[in-house]
Amino acid sequence: MTNQESLESYLNGSKKQLDFTWEVKANDRAYHKQFKKRVAFCLTRKKYEDNAIRTAKYNVLTFLPLNLYEQFHRLANLYFLFVILLQTVPEISTLPWFTLLLPLSSLLLLRGLRDLIDDIARHRSDWMINSRPCEILVGKSFSWKKWRDICVGDVVCLRKDSFVPADLLLLSSSEPSSLCYVETADIDGETNLKFRQALLATHQELVSEASMAAFDGKVTCEEPNSRMHSFIGTLEWRGEKYSLDSEKILLRGCRIRNTETCYGLVIYAGLDSKIMKNCGKIKMKKTKLDRLMDRLVIVIFVMLVITSLCLAFAAGFWAVKFDTQHSYLSALYVGTSPATQAFFTFWGFMILLSIIIPMSMYITFEFIYMVNSCFIDWDLEMYYPAKDTPAKARSTSLNDQLGQIEYIFSDKTGTLTQNIMTFKKCCINGITYGSANGENKASKASMSWNPYVDRTAEFHDPSLLEAVLQNDDPVMREFLRLLALCHTVMVEEKDSELAGELVYQAASPDEEALVMAARNLGYVFLSRTQDTITLSELGTERTYSLLAMLDFNSVRKRMSILVRDPEGKIRLYTKGADVVILERLHEDGPTRAFTQLALDSFAEETLRTLCLASKEVKEEDYIEWSKKHHEASVLLQNRAQELDKVYEEMEQDLQLLGATAIEDKLQDGVPETIQLLKKGNIKVWVLTGDKQETAVNIGFACRLLSDDMQILEEKEICEMLEACWVSTNNLGSSGEALCRFQQHSGGLHQGKMALVVTGDFLEKVLGTAEKVKRKEGFWARLVCCKAQTQPVADSLVEKAFVDLATCCQAVICCRVTPKQKALVVQLVKRHRSAITLAIGDGANDVNMIKTADIGVGISGQEGMQAVQCSDYALAQFRYLQRLLLVHGRWSYLRICKFLRYFFYKTFAGMMVQIWFAFYSGFTAQPLYEGWFLALYNVFYTAYPVLSMGLMEQDVSAEKSLKFPELYKVGQRDELFNYRVFCVTLLHGTVTSLGSFFIALWAFEDRVGSRVVGDYQSFAITVATSAFLSVLAEIIMDIKFWTILSFLTVAGSLLFFCLFSFLTQNFMVFREAPTIFRFPDASQNALTDPYVLSVILLCVVVNTVPSLTVRLLRVITGTSAIQHKIRFRDTRVAESTVELKSHFRRGSLQRRSSYAFSHKEGYADLITRGASLRVKDSRIRGPVNGSSYQSILLPTREGATPSVASGPSVFLKEHN
């Protein structure tokens, strides 16, 4: 088989047969309780889950062991525990064991309390969700219970605006034909409504509580899985078998809209529901610096062991030499040997040098993280006054990673957009109307003639209004008439004190915007029945007979309506995407050219467009077409294809009326934020459940996509992946094929590519669909070598796809499920080893937020699910720029400087112990006083470094946003890495050498004026020299001086003097001579001019290297950050100008997305009367001939109904 055939067989491989072993029996809980499934070994649990969800990590029994297990995954904690265990051995202990146990216990307690608080919030959220009320069929009637009481097989009753508690099979509803309208914003991000319809059998039979209680149907379907958009099963009832699909299933998390009552059978409950299968597990997140610190702990421990071994060997040889030279002291070493002495010396040095990894550093770490998190909470620049919502750092241990983000994965609806559609512009008969910025507003006087006008509308053009009122342009009349006729919008009477109000309800915000625009211009949609539509045209009421509705679908990209006007003429009105309308025009004329120019202008403004056209149909042509339409509509096979052909026949020879432009409103500041992030070398990927055209249009609107980008289609992507496949098999490098493809692509688009893929394509290419678990034995898996072939192929294709995607400037994945969102994030993390951030606002983003290194939740319209699972919560997407470019970069800078100088001061002060060992007989005797060792990292040197970790800034917040290129420093790990650690180790070692040997040289055979030359004075001199050298180094490196900085430096000097006096006082020596062993040592030494001169010399010698390096940086200009940024910014601007100069605006490389977002099928519901509801009635069944009916279609959540004052018009419908 060739490489190409291998790839094709991989991409187009058939899905494995699913196991249909999930059986649900209605109203029979005992049936389901008998089934068990094996978990591990001989352990079993219930096969059918209850409906309670549990997203928390711990419970009362597991918190302590599980939290300790997680905390001891940090190697530093294991290291400290190991040192404490050593301290319990008296023979080698140098300090009491509890002196190290207390700080470690404090550290574990602090982190444990933080985890406990987070988990309590999850428990509270779970309890609130599980305690939601719901009506469950118990016995012969429905009773109010909690969500957690629902079991598989129960029949539940749902009311209007309630959430669906589990995955249900729709049995019936109060709507005609048992329709049920649902909003799926929490699942796929779409706020336009979808309809579900029950089986005809259950709709006709299950009409009362008694029939519901007697219902004993059995559903057989696939096992619980994460596929949100598919369901396959059968219902067996009364000897008949009925097929089930996803159109009959209500998923958990959906919301019932404009359906008074519906009934459902629970298929999947709790953690088995599809939305919970997509939620993923809570993962313990560690920052990049945390993982680096774990590795450095291993490096330092290895260094410590090697150093202790060398010193122990030296101690053994020294003991042999000493015993030989001083045999008269052999009685003191009876019962021991040089090997024994070396052994105990090894452990003595291990304990003595263990302070090189100070526990106080980790405690200070937590404090810095907490304070920097408070800075985020207190930032007024990220406060959203409209909702009184501040930014919130829900996690306190990830701040530094905010400064290292390389990829951002964003949801679209509710995150980038407001999902508010506004009619902005239109082109009628070649003339464009509508202001650029919407500065023209309607005045009360100018709109007083129209009682139905919406005074909150943003669109108002006086010239258009004047042309409409003149009423002498037939094209304009047809244009507005089309907007008022060709749609699936419904109208109902509003239930309020104000009788006679009309409420428009649309299944999509696009249609609502168009009908509202027509209404504001005097063409008011009043009412509809199954076969009529009534309008008010400039005050004149006209009723049109509805002959046919040619429904929209994603292939046709258009919708048409065939009506007979009051004069008896038959007219076809069509609206759709420009690419399908323009090719069906009767003739090309000047109107088409002007309309195309208008469409280009609308596309540049990233508006959603529709082309409008109409034609008059002859009576005989309609009669002939109607016969064909009827024949196609009753076909049993290929009905949809034949109907499309019939529709195509009618939708020809159209007359162009014009075009409309609708704005899908972005959140404030989204384009500017994305531009800043891109300048900071952060790539933004959009992962959305919305359709491709809408996602691409939003990509252009928010400047993620640009006109000079080549958008790769799925065919081109497959070609690239094929090239990578062949290259991998032949050359062993997918990157070579990719580069080779780019070299041959040439032209303007080289290096300016964008990737747009769908969830189905990801499922095919990456195998993200649910994989069927095959039950294979251990030995079968062990001997089956073929099992390795598919994972290897998966990995190769995955890597090739990720390589291709990361070469692109932008990536948009549309129609993806929540689980696919998480898998895309996981792919980038695995193959690029990049730091990722996911941002979203709904439950469909939870899995992605959990999977990414950083999860950000938007406090949006879709609830708080995303916020509750996030690490950071923001009110608007635009605040992300400040969170990353300011707080993230500052936090990374502060933590890196803190680590560097904490290690430096530790090495500078503690490496002296090693040099002293050569002059103390390798006895592991401390050079310093015990109190100096205890207080060095706690009081003497901790506070200046702490102030640096809290307040340090290299540039201000304004300049951080002005020069986003500064962010690249964190992405490249420039401020703390192995090289920086080695330089810090070398720097600290040099400082310790200077402090020790200069003092040793000064004290060698010399005495001061006060006969200072003893061991204690030498220790004080070395300690003071090291302390002041460290303090001078920190002072030189602080770039942002505050009052806190001055106080911490002064406080360190004060503490050093104060504690030196208190611990080296002769009075305390008399009280506890074994604890306070340096009586008056500092007073004697530090008052001697000779010792002070030696200390000054040490400090000068230790700081000269740092001063020299800083001077060289200033001379060479490597520290002029802003100069470099300006130069880089100029280069980027120049290259951008050059690209734009090559772009040919007239090439029409793209169009705006067409403004359709509702689901196919609404036209069929209208024409067959399936959506007709009996007014003021809740009884389903046949409607008598004298019933007055209003038509109701559900509205979006959060949408304000469009209310028109005036007389209500409801036409009588005769069946």
Side-chain angles (χ1 to χ4, degrees):
M1 182 181 292
T2 65
N3 293 326
Q4 181 176 353
E5 291 171 345
S6 301
L7 178 65
E8 289 177 353
S9 63
Y10 171 75
L11 294 180
N12 301 317
S14 59
K15 294 183 178 179
K16 297 175 183 177
Q17 184 65 33
L18 298 173
D19 293 329
F20 294 91
T21 57
W22 192 262
E23 296 181 351
V24 178
K25 197 170 183 180
N27 296 314
D28 193 349
R29 289 191 175 185
Y31 174 79
H32 303 104
K33 289 180 180 180
Q34 63 182 335
F35 293 97
K36 304 288 183 181
K37 65 178 179 180
R38 190 170 66 179
V39 180
F41 302 107
C42 58
L43 300 178
T44 60
R45 67 177 183 184
K46 295 186 296 183
K47 177 180 179 179
Y48 298 92
E49 294 277 357
D50 56 29
N51 201 47
I53 62 168
R54 303 167 188 86
T55 62
K57 292 170 63 176
Y58 315 109
N59 57 40
V60 176
L61 297 178
T62 62
F63 172 73
L64 189 61
L66 188 56
N67 188 259
L68 287 176
Y69 172 76
E70 290 177 350
Q71 293 214 48
F72 280 106
H73 265 62
R74 299 175 183 263
L75 293 180
N77 291 343
L78 286 175
Y79 171 77
F80 295 139
L81 181 63
F82 172 71
V83 173
I84 290 173
L85 293 176
L86 291 181
Q87 292 280 29
T88 59
V89 181
E91 289 80 3
I92 59 176
S93 177
T94 57
L95 291 173
W97 59 272
F98 53 82
T99 57
L100 287 177
L101 180 62
L102 184 61
L104 179 60
S105 301
S106 302
L107 181 64
L108 297 177
L109 181 63
L110 185 65
R111 287 174 172 165
L113 285 175
R114 183 190 65 199
D115 294 339
L116 180 62
I117 292 171
D118 291 343
D119 210 57
I120 287 175
R122 297 189 192 100
H123 275 287
R124 187 179 293 113
S125 173
D126 291 346
W127 183 85
M128 291 176 62
I129 293 174
N130 293 331
S131 298
R132 288 177 177 174
C134 182
E135 290 184 85
I136 307 175
L137 183 62
V138 179
K140 300 294 184 180
S141 63
F142 285 92
S143 302
W144 284 99
K145 301 287 184 180
K146 305 293 186 184
W147 275 25
R148 59 173 170 264
D149 300 324
I150 295 175
C151 295
V152 172
D154 286 351
V155 175
V156 298
C157 174
L158 301 177
R159 307 287 179 177
K160 179 180 177 181
D161 294 333
S162 62
F163 285 97
V164 179
D167 291 351
L168 309 177
L169 169 65
L170 180 61
L171 298 177
S172 64
S173 79
S174 58
E175 295 298 300
S177 305
S178 281
L179 287 171
C180 181
Y181 301 101
V182 294
E183 182 186 83
T184 60
D186 276 357
I187 294 178
D188 55 18
E190 294 184 8
T191 52
N192 55 293
L193 300 190
K194 302 175 176 63
F195 65 86
R196 300 289 183 260
Q197 188 168 12
L199 288 168
L200 181 62
T202 58
H203 161 67
Q204 293 175 340
E205 298 294 334
L206 303 181
V207 294
S208 64
E209 289 188 0
S211 59
M212 293 283 182
F215 178 59
D216 59 352
K218 183 178 180 181
V219 174
T220 303
C221 60
E222 57 197 7
E223 291 284 324
N225 56 70
S226 62
R227 294 186 295 275
M228 302 294 296
H229 303 296
S230 69
F231 178 85
I232 302 175
T234 58
L235 169 65
E236 296 180 39
W237 186 38
R238 295 179 177 177
E240 299 290 335
K241 183 177 287 190
Y242 307 93
S243 65
L244 304 176
D245 55 24
S246 59
E247 297 300 310
K248 298 174 179 61
I249 300 296
L250 304 178
L251 296 181
R252 179 187 177 117
C254 294
R255 198 167 190 176
I256 306 299
R257 290 299 192 195
N258 292 88
T259 302
E260 294 299 328
T261 309
C262 66
Y263 302 90
L265 172 67
V266 178
I267 304 297
Y268 305 126
L271 298 177
D272 285 335
S273 60
K274 289 182 180 290
I275 188 66
M276 295 306 296
K277 286 288 185 182
N278 275 276
C279 275
K281 296 181 179 180
I282 298 174
K283 302 175 179 67
M284 185 178 67
K285 296 182 178 181
K286 295 180 68 174
T287 67
K288 205 171 184 179
L289 284 178
D290 270 341
R291 294 190 289 269
L292 177 61
M293 284 297 299
D294 284 344
R295 295 191 290 269
L296 286 180
V297 166
I298 297 175
V299 171
I300 296 173
F301 181 74
V302 171
M303 291 169 51
L304 185 60
V305 170
I306 293 173
T307 303
S308 299
L309 276 175
C310 294
L311 293 175
F313 277 115
F317 287 115
W318 189 89
V320 172
K321 180 180 178 182
F322 184 85
D323 189 35
T324 302
Q325 293 179 353
H326 305 280
S327 57
Y328 55 88
L329 297 176
S330 59
L332 299 175
Y333 300 100
V334 176
T336 184
S337 64
T340 305
Q341 293 180 39
F343 176 78
F344 284 113
T345 301
F346 168 77
W347 293 111
F349 274 115
M350 285 288 293
I351 296 173
L352 182 64
L353 299 177
S354 64
I355 200 171
I356 288 179
I357 308 178
M359 198 178 302
S360 60
M361 180 178 71
Y362 288 90
I363 299 176
T364 312
F365 239 170
E366 296 297 323
F367 182 73
I368 292 175
Y369 277 131
M370 182 184 69
V371 174
N372 281 325
S373 298
C374 291
F375 289 158
I376 295 175
D377 298 345
W378 298 337
D379 191 345
L380 292 178
E381 296 294 328
M382 295 195 294
Y383 171 73
Y384 188 51
K387 293 185 178 179
D388 189 26
T389 306
K392 177 66 177 176
R394 295 171 51 84
S395 173
T396 59
S397 59
L398 302 172
N399 298 333
D400 57 282
Q401 195 147 265
L402 287 172
Q404 298 180 283
I405 302 298
E406 297 176 60
Y407 291 88
I408 292 178
F409 300 91
S410 174
D411 180 39
K412 182 189 75 69
T413 306
T415 303
L416 299 177
T417 68
Q418 304 177 44
N419 205 52
I420 297 175
M421 304 298 175
T422 307
F423 189 89
K424 297 294 287 186
K425 293 186 177 184
C426 63
C427 176
I428 305 175
N429 202 18
I431 303 175
T432 301
Y433 299 95
S435 57
N437 301 316
E439 62 271 6
N440 295 321
K441 295 293 181 181
S443 64
K444 292 185 178 180
S446 64
M447 303 303 294
S448 59
W449 61 273
N450 186 359
Y452 300 101
V453 70
D454 178 15
R455 301 193 183 278
T456 62
E458 295 185 14
F459 176 80
H460 180 70
D461 190 325
S463 61
L464 175 61
L465 183 59
E466 182 181 354
V468 171
L469 293 177
Q470 289 178 357
N471 198 24
D472 56 2
D473 186 351
V475 175
M476 184 169 292
R477 284 199 300 268
E478 289 295 289
F479 181 93
L480 296 175
R481 196 170 285 154
L482 187 151
L483 293 182
L485 287 171
C486 186
H487 54 76
T488 58
V489 176
M490 303 293 188
V491 63
E492 69 167 342
E493 184 177 3
K494 185 179 181 182
D495 297 329
S496 68
E497 319 69 58
L498 302 175
E501 290 188 351
L502 299 179
V503 179
Y504 286 166
Q505 297 176 335
S508 73
D510 308 277
E511 292 227 302
E512 181 181 5
L514 294 173
V515 177
M516 287 296 298
R519 191 180 89 173
N520 292 333
L521 292 171
Y523 285 71
V524 185
F525 167 56
L526 293 177
S527 65
R528 78 157 79 238
T529 63
Q530 184 174 345
D531 51 14
T532 65
I533 299 176
T534 302
L535 306 182
S536 171
E537 299 179 1
L538 299 178
T540 303
E541 187 173 310
R542 291 167 60 89
T543 300
Y544 294 82
S545 298
L546 177 61
L547 304 179
M549 291 188 76
L550 285 56
D551 201 4
F552 159 84
N553 62 42
S554 57
V555 177
R556 283 168 35 79
K557 297 183 180 180
R558 62 191 181 275
M559 171 189 177
S560 299
I561 184 170
L562 201 60
V563 297
R564 188 188 301 273
D565 63 18
E567 290 77 22
K569 295 180 181 179
I570 300 175
R571 297 199 63 88
L572 175 75
Y573 294 101
T574 303
K575 65 179 181 182
D578 50 7
V579 292
V580 298
I581 298 297
L582 294 178
E583 66 184 15
R584 288 168 173 78
L585 298 181
H586 175 65
E587 59 183 8
D588 293 342
T591 301
R592 172 169 180 165
F594 287 121
T595 304
Q596 284 184 324
L597 291 175
L599 287 169
D600 293 341
S601 175
F602 298 159
E604 289 179 7
E605 299 177 44
T606 64
L607 300 176
R608 295 158 62 92
T609 61
L610 282 178
C611 269
L612 277 59
S614 69
K615 76 172 183 178
E616 185 176 345
V617 181
K618 296 179 180 180
E619 186 72 32
E620 55 271 19
D621 293 339
Y622 166 70
I623 294 174
E624 182 181 352
W625 179 87
S626 181
K627 293 178 181 179
K628 295 179 181 179
H629 178 260
H630 176 73
E631 292 172 358
S633 63
V634 296
L635 289 176
L636 297 179
Q637 294 182 345
N638 302 322
R639 179 186 301 173
Q641 293 85 342
E642 292 301 319
L643 280 174
D644 283 348
K645 292 179 182 179
V646 175
Y647 293 165
E648 181 74 25
E649 182 180 333
M650 174 59 69
E651 295 167 331
Q652 298 293 334
D653 299 326
L654 302 174
Q655 177 190 354
L656 182 63
L657 300 177
T660 61
I662 292 178
E663 178 187 26
D664 188 355
K665 278 196 170 181
L666 294 173
Q667 290 190 9
D668 295 337
V670 167
E672 294 79 8
T673 299
I674 290 181
Q675 284 298 97
L676 273 180
L677 295 174
K678 289 170 72 174
K679 287 183 179 179
N681 197 36
I682 301 174
K683 293 187 177 182
V684 181
W685 292 19
V686 175
L687 312 179
T688 177
D690 214 338
K691 64 181 183 180
Q692 181 171 338
E693 292 81 4
T694 305
V696 170
N697 199 58
I698 293 300
F700 281 104
C702 65
R703 301 183 195 170
L704 183 64
L705 303 176
S706 59
D707 287 322
D708 56 355
M709 282 185 180
Q710 178 188 7
I711 299 179
L712 299 180
E713 301 293 338
E714 294 184 357
K715 182 179 179 182
E716 296 173 299
I717 297 171
C718 286
E719 291 176 359
M720 289 187 173
L721 294 181
E722 180 182 327
C724 293
W725 179 281
V726 174
S727 176
T728 301
N729 289 323
N730 295 337
L731 306 175
S733 171
S734 62
E736 282 185 48
L738 215 57
C739 294
R740 189 171 58 195
F741 185 92
Q742 288 184 346
Q743 288 173 1
H744 289 294
S745 63
L748 171 68
H749 303 299
Q750 184 173 356
K752 298 285 287 184
M753 295 187 298
L755 200 67
V756 179
V757 295
T758 62
D760 292 336
F761 181 80
L762 288 175
E763 180 178 330
K764 181 173 68 172
V765 174
L766 305 179
T768 57
E770 186 78 16
K771 292 181 173 61
V772 180
K773 297 179 181 178
R774 292 181 298 173
K775 297 181 180 179
E776 295 179 349
F778 172 77
W779 297 108
R781 291 197 302 269
L782 186 65
V783 301
C784 185
C785 299
K786 293 183 180 179
Q788 300 297 323
T789 305
Q790 187 66 19
V792 171
D794 289 348
S795 179
L796 291 176
V797 176
E798 286 177 2
K799 187 177 186 308
F801 176 78
V802 173
D803 287 343
L804 171 61
T806 52
C807 285
C808 296
Q809 299 296 311
V811 176
I812 296 178
C813 302
C814 41
R815 307 301 295 172
V816 290
T817 65
K819 190 168 187 178
Q820 285 176 328
K821 290 184 178 183
L823 287 169
V824 170
V825 177
Q826 200 171 358
L827 276 178
V828 175
K829 287 176 63 177
R830 181 166 65 245
H831 292 290
R832 305 301 296 181
S833 300
I835 304 300
T836 58
L837 180 146
I839 180 169
D841 71 320
N844 56 318
D845 305 313
V846 167
N847 201 352
M848 173 177 71
I849 286 173
K850 289 179 180 179
T851 304
D853 296 297
I854 299 286
V856 178
I858 298 290
S859 305
Q861 300 291 334
E862 298 181 20
M864 298 295 288
Q865 295 94 331
V867 171
Q868 289 168 353
C869 297
S870 66
D871 304 306
Y872 298 88
L874 300 175
Q876 294 275 284
F877 181 85
R878 69 176 185 268
Y879 298 141
L880 192 62
Q881 59 176 296
R882 189 170 180 88
L883 181 68
L884 299 185
L885 302 181
V886 178
H887 290 284
R889 207 180 64 80
W890 279 353
S891 294
Y892 174 71
L893 170 73
R894 291 164 180 169
I895 292 295
C896 290
K897 276 199 165 186
F898 168 80
L899 287 175
R900 177 184 170 189
Y901 280 97
F902 215 106
F903 277 123
Y904 164 71
K905 73 184 184 66
T906 304
F907 292 142
M910 299 302 131
M911 294 284 282
V912 172
Q913 301 283 0
I914 299 175
W915 320 135
F916 182 65
F918 289 89
Y919 296 90
S920 63
F922 304 100
T923 57
Q925 176 188 351
L927 168 64
Y928 300 130
E929 178 201 14
W931 284 104
F932 180 83
L933 287 173
L935 300 175
Y936 179 76
N937 280 322
V938 179
F939 287 103
Y940 294 166
T941 58
Y943 298 116
V945 182
L946 176 61
S947 71
M948 184 182 292
L950 294 178
M951 309 298 296
E952 181 67 353
Q953 300 176 17
D954 55 348
V955 294
S956 64
E958 292 74 17
K959 290 185 178 178
S960 295
L961 295 173
K962 185 178 180 181
F963 302 114
E965 292 84 355
L966 288 171
Y967 191 82
K968 299 177 183 178
V969 172
Q971 294 174 332
R972 294 193 286 255
D973 303 324
E974 291 184 6
L975 297 185
F976 193 79
N977 49 43
Y978 289 113
R979 182 188 62 81
V980 173
F981 174 76
C982 293
V983 171
T984 302
L985 174 60
L986 181 61
H987 190 189
T989 303
V990 170
T991 301
S992 67
L993 286 170
S995 301
F996 180 81
F997 284 101
I998 290 176
L1000 183 65
W1001 167 78
F1003 275 72
E1004 205 170 70
D1005 297 331
R1006 291 174 179 83
V1007 292
S1009 58
R1010 299 186 183 180
V1011 197
V1012 177
D1014 59 295
Y1015 155 70
Q1016 292 184 356
S1017 298
F1018 174 72
I1020 294 297
T1021 303
V1022 175
T1024 307
S1025 300
F1027 164 68
L1028 293 178
S1029 297
V1030 167
L1031 203 59
E1033 189 70 34
I1034 294 174
I1035 289 172
M1036 287 189 296
D1037 205 58
I1038 292 179
K1039 287 185 170 59
F1040 186 69
W1041 281 91
T1042 62
I1043 296 177
L1044 180 63
S1045 306
F1046 284 105
L1047 291 177
T1048 54
V1049 172
S1052 293
L1053 289 170
L1054 181 62
F1055 279 129
F1056 179 75
C1057 298
L1058 178 63
F1059 284 110
S1060 295
F1061 172 77
L1062 293 177
T1063 59
Q1064 297 174 18
N1065 192 294
F1066 195 78
M1067 295 176 60
V1068 296
F1069 170 74
R1070 285 190 302 179
E1071 296 295 330
T1074 58
I1075 298 177
F1076 303 97
R1077 299 182 179 182
F1078 279 50
D1080 292 336
S1082 291
Q1083 183 178 354
N1084 293 333
L1086 299 181
T1087 55
D1088 189 330
Y1090 181 78
V1091 173
L1092 293 177
S1093 300
V1094 172
I1095 293 173
L1096 179 61
L1097 177 62
C1098 290
V1099 173
V1100 171
V1101 171
N1102 289 334
T1103 54
V1104 163
S1106 295
L1107 286 172
T1108 304
V1109 171
R1110 285 178 172 82
L1111 181 61
L1112 290 174
R1113 286 179 178 175
V1114 171
I1115 293 173
T1116 58
T1118 55
S1119 62
I1121 296 176
Q1122 295 181 13
H1123 175 72
K1124 292 194 300 183
I1125 294 301
R1126 289 194 187 98
F1127 176 70
R1128 189 182 305 130
D1129 204 25
T1130 304
R1131 286 192 305 173
V1132 172
E1134 289 174 354
S1135 63
T1136 305
V1137 171
E1138 183 181 354
L1139 280 174
K1140 287 185 177 178
S1141 66
H1142 285 83
F1143 175 62
R1144 300 188 304 276
R1145 180 63 64 183
S1147 59
L1148 298 180
Q1149 298 188 28
R1150 69 177 182 90
R1151 286 283 191 212
S1152 291
S1153 69
Y1154 53 92
F1156 271 114
S1157 61
H1158 62 271
K1159 181 182 169 66
E1160 177 186 1
Y1162 282 108
D1164 181 58
L1165 294 180
I1166 293 171
T1167 53
R1168 62 187 172 90
S1171 59
L1172 298 181
R1173 180 192 294 174
V1174 180
K1175 189 170 185 279
D1176 294 329
S1177 175
R1178 297 293 178 263
I1179 303 173
R1180 293 187 292 105
V1183 181
N1184 59 43
S1186 61
S1187 297
Y1188 285 88
Q1189 297 188 354
S1190 65
I1191 314 302
L1192 176 64
L1193 196 69
T1195 184
R1196 298 172 291 109
E1197 168 66 3
T1200 303
S1202 307
V1203 180
S1205 60
S1208 61
V1209 181
F1210 292 98
L1211 300 182
K1212 182 185 291 187
E1213 176 179 297
H1214 299 279
N1215 290 332

